[in-house]
Every structure is written in C-alpha cells, then in structure tokens.
Amino acid sequence: MVTPRKIPSYEELKAAFTEIKALQSHIHDCASVIERNLVFCGFPMYDEPKVISDGYAVKLRYKDVVIDDRAILTAIANRGFITPYDFS
C-alpha cells in the first residue's frame, strides 16, 4: 500500500527557501575568504585564477579550465599553494 506524501505548507516551503538562501550566501562569503587567502605561484602577474561560486560549490578557473574544491585542497595539502600545473 502506498502512503500519500505529505504536501508541505507554505510556511514550511518559505522556511526551507530562506535556509537555502542563507546557505548560498554563506558559501559566497566563504568563497571571498578563500580568494583572499589562496597563494598562487608561477602565474603571470595579473593573470591569476579566479574563484567562482555558484552558491553550491567553490571552484577555481584559470583560462578555460576549472578545478573543484578537492583539487584545490589537494594542491594546498601537497605544496601550500596553487600552480598552473594544477589546471592541467
């Protein structure tokens, strides 16, 4: 027997959307902190990777290559900074 799904109330949906917006805002704030504190080495001056965030994840883009948070953390753990080789 299939039990019917409970339809959330307007208030429950509004609260859920508010929570999602707050989390997305927090992720964007974290992206700003990451951007200010990452150390780049071996990039041409004024041509460093850019931190991008869609509200769900934080990534780095350099030229047309994007690396995710796992690659960023791996590079930082191994060397302490990001190099162009991390984008190959």
Side-chain angles (χ1 to χ4, degrees):
M1 175 174 208
V2 177
T3 56
R5 289 180 37 188
K6 178 186 176 265
I7 298 173
S9 68
Y10 171 79
E11 290 78 21
E12 290 172 320
L13 287 173
K14 185 177 176 183
F17 280 117
T18 301
E19 189 173 331
I20 288 170
K21 285 183 181 182
L23 288 171
Q24 288 175 330
S25 176
H26 183 68
I27 289 171
H28 284 301
D29 292 345
C30 291
S32 297
V33 170
I34 290 168
E35 187 169 34
R36 287 192 308 269
N37 292 297
L38 277 179
V39 176
F40 301 109
C41 184
F43 293 93
M45 191 174 251
Y46 305 112
D47 191 26
E48 294 178 339
K50 302 294 181 225
V51 174
I52 55 174
S53 171
D54 58 6
Y56 299 99
V58 177
K59 301 175 183 178
L60 278 178
R61 178 179 45 213
Y62 182 65
K63 305 223 181 254
D64 290 330
V65 180
V66 176
I67 60 172
D68 64 2
D69 56 348
R70 190 175 312 185
I72 296 167
L73 291 172
T74 300
I76 297 301
N78 289 338
R79 291 184 300 285
F81 51 86
I82 304 290
T83 70
Y85 296 109
D86 297 313
F87 293 89
S88 57

